[in-house]
Amino acid sequence: MKKNLHPGNYRQVVFKDMSNDDVFVTRSTINTKETIDLDGVTYPLIKLEISNTSHPFYTGKAKLVDTAGRVDKFMSRYGNRNRK
């Protein structure tokens, strides 16, 4: 087996889903500047936009996230092409 292949600085890190405030603790080597207190212990914090607790594939709840009316703009341009 190759020596020094994997990093040796694994530590407990908290990942927080910002869409539903779900948190989970796991080991990681990722660098972060923020920390969080969880159960009386201070952990490094990584903020996530989406996780398995908020992703529509895992939750079974599909939702359409429309930024600045892009879907409406597309439909007004290209949505009614087949109608005459």
Side-chain angles (χ1 to χ4, degrees), residues 2-33:
K2 292 184 180 180
K3 301 257 185 211
N4 300 323
L5 183 63
H6 296 287
N9 60 343
Y10 285 101
R11 67 197 187 291
Q12 297 288 324
V13 176
V14 172
F15 287 85
K16 182 176 182 180
D17 186 343
M18 300 308 291
S19 64
N20 62 3
D21 292 331
D22 185 50
V23 295
F24 59 94
V25 180
T26 188
R27 292 176 36 143
S28 178
T29 62
I30 193 165
N31 293 327
T32 180
K33 295 178 183 176

Side-chain angles (χ1 to χ4, degrees), residues 4 7 13 24 31 45 48-49 52 73 75 78 80 82:
N4 300 323
V13 176
F24 59 94
N31 293 327
L45 173 66
L48 303 172
E49 294 294 323
N52 65 328
K73 188 175 181 180
M75 292 305 286
Y78 306 108
N80 298 326
N82 293 332

Side-chain angles (χ1 to χ4, degrees), residues 1 4-5 8 12 22 26 29 36 39 42 46-48 54-57 61 65-66 68 70 74-75 79 81:
M1 197 183 258
N4 300 323
L5 183 63
Q12 297 288 324
D22 185 50
T26 188
T29 62
I36 189 172
D39 299 329
T42 302
I46 303 297
K47 294 180 179 177
L48 303 172
S54 62
H55 193 281
F57 179 79
K61 299 176 184 173
V65 178
D66 185 15
R70 291 182 182 157
F74 177 84
M75 292 305 286
R81 292 281 176 151

